[in-house]
């Protein structure tokens, strides 16, 4: 299998902790050390790979991630779990910093995938229907 974007780094990071992470999410919390590889975000800059080993470098890479049966399936399972936390909000589950990371991650994957209704609904549920503007600015700058 061709792994052009080294998606195996996510598989290796998630493998020993995914069941723990989804269990924590089901209880309405999130463990900060898992954030980066469970809800990856767009890289701060193209050259930050060493500083951000789980950052996504492009919309194509994000599409490859969400299209991967294992990684995309886990991402959707986590988002589906969040949708069931109707009595919570992003800050309650994730705290301030990690709720911003979640918002950025959802924005990235909603732009990289097509017809991802599951992701789109999270903006209405937890982010007043808004995409993460910083992520959108970086996406726009990549396409220019």
């Amino acid at each position: 299998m061709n792994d052009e974007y080294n998606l195996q780094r996510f598989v290796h990071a998630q493998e020993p902790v995914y069941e723990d992470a989804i269990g924590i999410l089901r209880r309405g919390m999130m463990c900060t050390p898992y954030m980066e590889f469970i809800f990856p975000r767009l890289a701060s800059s193209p050259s930050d790979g060493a500083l951000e080993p789980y950052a996504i470098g492009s919309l194509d890479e994000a599409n490859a991630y969400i299209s991967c049966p294992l990684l995309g399936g886990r991402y959707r399972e986590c988002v589906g779990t969040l949708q069931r936390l109707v009595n919570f909000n992003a800050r309650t589950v994730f705290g301030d910093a990690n709720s911003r990371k979640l918002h950025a991650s959802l924005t990235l994957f909603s732009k990289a995938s097509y017809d991802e209704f599951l992701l789109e609904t999270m903006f209405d549920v937890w982010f007043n229907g808004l995409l993460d503007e910083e992520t959108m600015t970086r996406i726009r700058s990549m396409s220019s």
Side-chain angles (χ1 to χ4, degrees):
M1 177 181 135
N2 179 16
D3 188 8
E4 176 182 356
Y5 300 108
N6 187 23
L7 297 178
Q8 279 300 118
R9 72 190 191 274
F10 295 101
V11 174
H12 292 306
Q14 290 177 7
E15 201 57 43
V17 300
Y18 181 74
E19 290 305 318
D20 185 44
I22 194 72
I24 292 169
L25 274 181
R26 287 180 182 132
R27 293 189 302 276
M29 299 172 281
M30 184 56 185
C31 187
T32 296
Y34 301 162
M35 255 332 267
E36 302 302 321
F37 53 82
I38 298 290
F39 294 105
R41 295 168 293 131
L42 195 59
S44 299
S45 75
S47 61
D48 279 350
L51 297 174
E52 300 175 321
Y54 300 110
I56 301 287
S58 67
L59 286 179
D60 289 340
E61 182 179 352
N63 184 271
Y65 182 105
I66 203 75
S67 297
C68 171
L70 178 64
L71 295 172
R74 286 177 174 172
Y75 195 87
R76 288 178 187 93
E77 181 180 25
C78 288
V79 173
T81 298
L82 295 177
Q83 282 189 314
R84 291 188 284 280
L85 299 175
V86 293
N87 296 324
F88 295 89
N89 63 48
R91 283 192 177 94
T92 302
V93 175
F94 290 92
D96 286 335
N98 284 339
S99 67
R100 287 189 299 274
K101 291 177 183 180
L102 172 68
H103 195 190
S105 181
L106 291 168
T107 299
L108 170 63
F109 286 107
S110 73
K111 289 300 170 188
S113 58
Y114 306 100
D115 296 326
E116 282 287 340
F117 182 73
L118 178 66
L119 303 181
E120 299 293 332
T121 60
M122 290 307 297
F123 296 110
D124 292 329
V125 172
W126 278 1
F127 299 106
N128 298 318
L130 302 172
L131 298 173
D132 177 63
E133 193 51 47
E134 184 178 328
T135 301
M136 288 305 300
T137 299
R138 287 203 308 260
I139 288 171
R140 283 189 291 271
S141 73
M142 289 178 355
S143 3
S144 19

